[in-house]
């Protein structure tokens, strides 16, 4: 039986360099939540470094669960997992509500453990929602994922600190533009392996270009330890408080919704459509990874949509490439000096590459919508309203300011609200239980290679 590209084992050099591309694409997203939460809790510089390394370590572990899998755990797709940004606001709120800041992280860890375990038990039920995701819905959601991520790239392009005097300066924007141009030139004028690692080469070249402008800070490398293990329960044993647990359970529902959408998107891109079994296995990996992360001082884990853009652009679909990226994340968690090498890439350089990555996701969604048959029935209406709802948090960030914080966890996620709107509108305008008029049928899953059978 022919091996599907998802299950293909690539040569070592290609495996390593392509895996590094995935790490570079998601590194800023992994380290941002611990930096924000750590600052809210009042951690020292050394403790903040430890927390960041722990989150890198647990992200690598969760990525192993997704890509390699054990038993019925893991989507076995090129799926990167890391700390979900959806939990940042609730975790900072928990920290603010905790009388003794020394107890804040143990309370957060306890809530994440419970939410992860409950999510693991709910995965077989939650996955059945896949039948509510025909192409008109999945195309809308994939497009929203890409469009929702683009502001992240634009923020990176302006610089790391909005309060800095050079935030949005011509120098920062110029570095982002130069990186984008380098990636585009490599994609246009190179072939084969070099073309596939254009993003990684663009990040390296962009960093070199940034050196004369003083945008490259090598201090993290000089001050980093060579070895550092995330000691279990470093910040204290987990504590279980009902309000915190309920808050993180809401985050878990949001995370599972976004992961389901991401798996459907990735399944389309790699031409192995995600069925109920795949989604259930992927959600088990998400939730189990989240439940185990606090043991090593990490936070809730979820899918990283930005890496879907990298798969879409490079067409390197092997899950072992992403597993290699997970290996690098574990290594960086165990070796702060290695983590610091990625940290020296200037944020504007990441922003320039992010435009290509996230734009590729949106383009994949548009391709899916074209196959959905927008000219038939009310499909255009479903897409139009769903996109509008999903874009509210981007176009008007304070739109839901009057709502309770718990509700805003869901409402401020354009992917979640747009996804829910698309599902509901599809049910209203197209007959439930039957293929909507004018829609292309969702392709049958491709035969699984022996190592992918759950």
């Amino acid at each position: 039986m022919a091996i599907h590209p998802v299950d293909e084992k690539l040569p070592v050099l290609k495996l390593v360099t392509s895996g590094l591309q995935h790490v570079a694409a998601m590194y800023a997203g992994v380290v941002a939540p611990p930096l924000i939460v750590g600052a809210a809790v009042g951690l020292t510089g050394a403790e903040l470094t430890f927390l960041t390394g722990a989150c890198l370590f647990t992200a690598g572990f969760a990525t192993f669960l997704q890509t390699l899998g054990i038993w019925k755990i893991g989507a076995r797709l090129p799926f990167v997992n890391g700390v979900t940004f959806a939990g940042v606001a609730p975790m900072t709120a928990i920290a603010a509500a905790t009388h003794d800041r020394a107890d804040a992280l143990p309370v957060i860890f306890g809530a994440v453990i419970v939410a992860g375990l409950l999510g693991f038990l709910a995965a077989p039920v939650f996955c059945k929602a896949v039948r509510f995701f025909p192409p008109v819905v999945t195309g809308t959601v994939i497009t929203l994922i890409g469009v929702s991520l683009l502001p992240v790239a634009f923020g990176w392009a302006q610089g790391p600190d909005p309060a800095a005097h050079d935030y949005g300066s011509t120098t920062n924007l110029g570095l982002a533009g130069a990186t984008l141009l380098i990636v585009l030139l490599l994609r246009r004028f190179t072939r084969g392996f070099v073309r596939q690692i254009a993003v990684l080469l663009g990040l390296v070249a962009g960093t070199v270009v940034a050196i004369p402008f003083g945008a490259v800070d090598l201090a993290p490398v000089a001050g980093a330890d060579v070895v550092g293990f995330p000691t279990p329960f470093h910040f204290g044993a987990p504590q279980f408080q009902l309000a915190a647990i309920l808050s993180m359970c809401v985050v878990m529902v949001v995370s599972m919704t976004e992961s389901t959408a991401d798996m459907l998107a990735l399944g389309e891109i790699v031409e192995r459509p995600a069925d109920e079994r795949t989604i259930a296995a992927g959600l088990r990996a998400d939730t189990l990874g989240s439940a185990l992360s606090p043991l090593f001082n990490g936070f809730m884990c979820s899918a990283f949509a930005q890496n879907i853009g990298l798969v879409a652009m490079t067409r390197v679909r092997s899950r072992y490439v992403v597993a290699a990226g997970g290996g690098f994340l574990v290594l960086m968690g165990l070796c702060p000096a290695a983590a610091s090498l990625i940290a020296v890439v200037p944020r504007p350089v990441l922003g320039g590459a992010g435009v290509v990555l996230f734009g590729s996701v949106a383009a994949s969604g548009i391709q899916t919508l074209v196959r959905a048959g927008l000219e038939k029935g009310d499909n255009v209406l479903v897409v139009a309203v769903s996109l509008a709802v999903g874009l509210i948090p981007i176009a008007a960030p304070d739109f839901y300011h009057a709502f309770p914080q718990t509700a805003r966890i869901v409402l401020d996620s354009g992917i979640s609200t747009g996804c829910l709107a698309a599902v509901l509108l599809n049910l209203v305008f197209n007959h439930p239980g039957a293929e909507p008029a004018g829609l292309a049928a969702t392709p049958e899953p491709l035969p699984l290679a022996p190592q992918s059978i759950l």
Side-chain angles (χ1 to χ4, degrees), residues 270-285:
V270 302
E271 298 177 352
R272 178 182 277 179
D275 55 13
E276 285 188 16
R277 184 178 66 170
T278 300
I279 292 173
L283 292 177
R284 288 191 190 100

Side-chain angles (χ1 to χ4, degrees), residues 21 186-187 189-199 201:
Q21 276 199 136
L186 287 171
R187 292 286 298 179
F189 295 108
T190 62
R191 292 290 182 269
F193 179 59
V194 174
R195 190 171 189 266
Q196 290 176 337
I197 62 169
V199 173
L201 295 177

Side-chain angles (χ1 to χ4, degrees), residues 23 54 216 257 279-280 307 324 397 431:
V23 173
V216 179
T257 301
I279 292 173
N307 292 82
H431 296 293

Side-chain angles (χ1 to χ4, degrees), residues 59 93 156 164 190 222 340 347 372 380 433:
W156 288 348
T190 62
S340 66
R347 200 63 61 84
V380 167

Side-chain angles (χ1 to χ4, degrees), residues 99-142:
H99 179 69
D100 186 351
R101 288 298 175 91
D103 293 331
L105 284 177
V107 170
I108 290 171
F109 291 149
V112 172
I113 290 173
V114 174
L117 293 175
L118 291 176
F120 184 86
L121 295 175
V125 177
F126 202 93
C127 73
K128 296 186 182 301
V130 68
R131 66 179 181 273
F132 299 116
F133 287 83
V136 71
V137 174
T138 57
T140 301
V141 173
I142 297 169

